[in-house]
Amino acid sequence: MSSDYYGTSAAYARKESGYREKALKIYPWVCGRCAREFVYSNLRELTVHHVDHDHTNNPEDGSNWELLCLFCHDHEHSKYTDHDMYGTEIKAGDDDHKGATHNPFADLKAMMKK
């Protein structure tokens, strides 16, 4: 870890620990993207993501934080890598993923009559 943010990696770890603890108290232990739920035993897999990507912007109300699982957090940051490599558009906090449209119970009443 570079010493850009807080001088040393130890100072960064202390700062991160502070906002992580606050975020875990403010928000439910659920990934903000995939809705995976977490319990104490796997809580280490839930990360605090800075919405504006500025790790020094840590308002007390948590408005710049969202809890993301490791996979969704990596995906969010890969948008910037993809932008650098391929010139793709970056949409922080926005996925092009559309919600499911299939409803397996749409014809349930008709199925029950069979």
Side-chain angles (χ1 to χ4, degrees), residues 56-70:
T56 62
N57 182 10
N58 293 302
E60 291 296 316
D61 66 355
S63 58
N64 190 38
W65 305 325
E66 64 180 334
L67 297 178
L68 299 178
C69 71
L70 295 172

Side-chain angles (χ1 to χ4, degrees), residues 30-38 67-72 95:
V30 175
C31 175
R33 297 291 158 79
C34 69
R36 178 179 167 200
E37 296 182 16
F38 291 82
L67 297 178
L68 299 178
C69 71
L70 295 172
F71 304 109
C72 291
D95 269 338

Side-chain angles (χ1 to χ4, degrees), residues 18-51:
Y19 68 71
R20 178 176 168 75
E21 289 170 10
K22 289 175 188 173
L24 292 173
K25 288 179 183 175
I26 293 173
Y27 296 111
W29 295 355
V30 175
C31 175
R33 297 291 158 79
C34 69
R36 178 179 167 200
E37 296 182 16
F38 291 82
V39 293
Y40 187 77
S41 63
N42 66 349
L43 194 58
R44 68 188 173 282
E45 298 172 19
L46 189 61
T47 64
V48 178
H49 173 67
H50 288 80
V51 177

Side-chain angles (χ1 to χ4, degrees), residues 98-111:
K98 305 294 183 213
T101 57
H102 175 69
N103 182 354
F105 301 108
D107 255 354
L108 184 60
K109 187 175 184 179
M111 287 184 226

Side-chain angles (χ1 to χ4, degrees), residues 6-17:
Y6 301 107
T8 67
S9 60
Y12 179 80
R14 277 194 307 279
K15 193 76 163 173
E16 180 185 41
S17 174

